Amino acid sequence: MKTLLETQNLCKSFEDIKVLKNINLKVSEGEFIAIMGQSGSGKSTLLYNLSGMDKSSSGNVLFCGKDISMLNDDMMSEVRLKQMGFIFQNSYLLKNLSIRDNIVLPGFKARKLTREQINCNANMLMEKTGILSVADHDIKKVSGGQLQRAAICRALINQPDILFGDEPTGALNSSATREIMDILNTVNREGKTVIIVTHDAKVAARASRVIYLMDGKLHNELKLGKWDISENKKIYREKWLSEWLEKQGF
Ligand SMILES: Nc1ncnc2c1ncn2[C@@H]1O[C@H](COP(=O)(O)OP(=O)(O)OP(=O)(O)O)[C@@H](O)[C@H]1O
Ligand SMILES: [Mg+2]
């Protein structure tokens, strides 16, 4: 598989504190990666550096073969808007706008697709994530799970190459978490590369590879392979990951 994202000796410091230390990571197209590690180990910092939301102190980040650490702010914003999608613990949807308007807005901003394509893509995404019936609702009148589904639709409106999530299920209960992870697994199965940060072993078990950060270093990784939906395999996989995490000191 083609490499989509790569870091070469990526380091990040905040003043004199070294947070990321020589991270060398290659992400292939179609992978689903979960970044795990203890609080403060640098997971969010790594995600923000991978996605150009933050700049490395030294080392390189290559996205689609291009060194994004060399891009200026405007060029980086363009890459983020058109080629990357983001979801966070909170959905950060705009108040006073409907679900649909929130989803199409980055589409019109990017001008990557025609108006027709944006509307059509929004409808398809809302249908797939089960929120078409609340499309024209005010965002204050829907549930947390529905908001997060809308955030996923918004992140995918410009047909990005990769979807990043920083604890995308962190604010959800277990059934909403399952629903969101089912959606992310479907999106990944359809070919989209996904990288998320999570504290939840059940969530990470859905990934094809788990990366464990310790004190800003890439400590270890576990290749799980593609997510299988059969019930027996799910339980086995979760157990396998939990045991491995315990060995890492999680
Ligand atoms: N903007 C910043 N300025 C200064 N220090 C920062 C900044 N962002 C992160 N840090 C520090 O970098 C370290 C790693 O933070 P980071 O948020 O990446 O950890 P994390 O693994 O995501 O933790 P958590 O699981 O709690 O979200 C922490 O010590 C944090 O205080
Ligand atoms: Mg974090």
Side-chain angles (χ1 to χ4, degrees), residues 54-92:
D54 199 359
K55 271 203 161 50
S56 63
S57 304
S58 65
N60 304 308
V61 180
L62 308 179
F63 176 61
C64 298
K66 256 198 229 157
D67 191 350
I68 56 169
S69 36
M70 305 300 284
L71 298 180
N72 67 29
D73 289 352
D74 286 348
M75 286 157 91
M76 195 57 239
S77 303
E78 188 88 353
V79 170
R80 281 201 304 270
L81 183 62
K82 294 185 178 173
Q83 288 177 266
M84 297 173 169
F86 296 88
I87 41 176
F88 301 92
Q89 189 164 336
N90 300 108
S91 60
Y92 297 116

Side-chain angles (χ1 to χ4, degrees), residues 14-15 17 19-20 37-46 48 54 166-167 197 199 213:
F14 293 106
E15 292 170 8
I17 303 164
V19 175
L20 297 179
Q38 292 194 340
S39 183
S41 57
K43 302 180 297 296
S44 298
T45 306
L46 175 59
Y48 299 158
D54 199 359
D166 193 1
E167 304 196 33
V197 168
H199 280 114
L213 279 191

Side-chain angles (χ1 to χ4, degrees), residues 106-123:
F108 293 128
K109 205 171 160 203
R111 286 185 279 172
K112 177 179 173 182
L113 306 171
T114 64
R115 176 174 291 270
E116 223 169 42
Q117 284 171 324
I118 294 166
N119 288 328
C120 177
N121 198 19
N123 280 335

Side-chain angles (χ1 to χ4, degrees), residues 8-13 22 49 55-61:
Q8 298 168 332
N9 295 319
L10 170 67
C11 295
K12 176 71 184 177
S13 300
N22 285 307
N49 276 267
K55 271 203 161 50
S56 63
S57 304
S58 65
N60 304 308
V61 180

